[in-house]
Amino acid sequence: MRRIYLVGFMGCGKSVIGQHLATKLGYAWVDLDTLLVKRQGCEIAQIFDTYGEAYFRKLETLLLRESKKWNKVVISTGGGIVMQEENRFLLKEEETFYLAWEGKTLYERVLADPSRPLASNREKLETLYELRLPLYEDIAAHKVWCEGKTPQRVVEEIIKAMEETNENSCH
Ligand code: S3P
């Protein structure tokens, strides 16, 4: 039984890497935000606008809880998943990979993206990044530095780390 979670700040490539990784492993791929949007029948920005961020976070936690029953799957999470204590607890128990980048690279990528309600300005992004960085570091069993690497290379590094985990575990 194996489940891989990808965490990291907005724009770090959780979806792109998740898809590549799942294909390589022959696993299913689930993007929690996409699933949430599908189930709610409205976009994330709309959920934030209509019901507020706290409501979105509740839905996110429900999905995360549900995901712990899945098997042979790569799960891409939303960048703010680490903001809830319960989520951090749930992710700490899992095989979680943190996709790490310099903040400034990420800001350029996501700044003013209308589909990301928390990316409206640079100051906000900087504050969130500083706040979240230690949380990603804390919950993830593995940190993969992504700066200057292709998605393929990042995927290879994740698979290598998975193999090492296999070798080190009791059979
Ligand atoms: C969020 C990140 C988004 C999405 C929502 C909130 C955040 O996902 O979950 O807009 O708080 O950082 P991505 O990390 O895929 O952009």
Side-chain angles (χ1 to χ4, degrees):
M1 193 190 78
R2 212 153 184 185
R3 233 184 343 266
I4 302 296
Y5 287 84
L6 301 181
V7 301
F9 202 71
M10 287 173 259
C12 74
K14 299 176 294 276
S15 300
V16 172
I17 303 292
Q19 268 170 292
H20 280 288
L21 180 62
T23 305
K24 274 257 176 191
L25 295 170
Y27 284 14
W29 172 63
V30 179
D31 182 286
L32 289 189
D33 279 345
T34 306
L35 184 58
L36 194 153
V37 164
K38 199 169 155 207
R39 292 210 182 149
Q40 292 304 303
C42 62
E43 296 302 323
I44 289 176
Q46 217 181 327
I47 299 173
F48 268 67
D49 273 355
T50 314
Y51 305 104
E53 182 176 347
Y55 180 74
F56 171 80
R57 296 293 169 208
K58 283 199 183 118
L59 298 175
E60 191 176 44
T61 298
L62 288 176
L63 269 187
L64 180 60
R65 282 189 206 151
E66 182 184 330
S67 73
K68 306 234 333 169
K69 299 186 201 122
W70 304 338
N71 187 20
K72 287 189 81 175
V73 59
V74 175
I75 299 158
S76 303
T77 62
I81 201 154
V82 289
M83 300 303 280
Q84 307 298 307
E85 193 180 5
E86 176 180 348
N87 298 350
R88 294 199 292 276
F89 174 78
L90 295 174
L91 285 165
K92 255 189 173 183
E93 298 175 329
E94 298 288 333
E95 205 167 355
T96 300
F97 286 80
Y98 164 38
L99 305 182
W101 294 79
E102 300 278 4
K104 56 179 180 340
T105 313
L106 297 169
Y107 310 149
E108 300 308 325
R109 282 190 181 183
V110 301
L111 193 60
D113 175 350
S115 73
R116 290 182 162 107
L118 299 179
S120 56
N121 70 69
R122 199 182 166 100
E123 289 69 34
K124 192 168 190 166
L125 285 170
E126 280 173 2
T127 308
L128 284 178
Y129 181 83
E130 295 303 327
L131 182 72
R132 292 174 179 181
L133 194 84
L135 303 178
Y136 298 128
E137 301 256 3
D138 178 48
I139 60 154
H142 308 273
K143 174 177 175 177
V144 184
W145 187 248
C146 300
E147 202 75 46
K149 294 178 188 164
T150 61
Q152 288 74 13
R153 169 86 190 278
V154 173
V155 167
E156 278 164 22
E157 290 186 19
I158 294 175
I159 291 175
K160 190 158 174 273
M162 288 175 70
E163 285 165 358
E164 281 166 10
T165 308
N166 248 356
E167 283 160 18
N168 295 332
S169 67
C170 303
H171 296 289

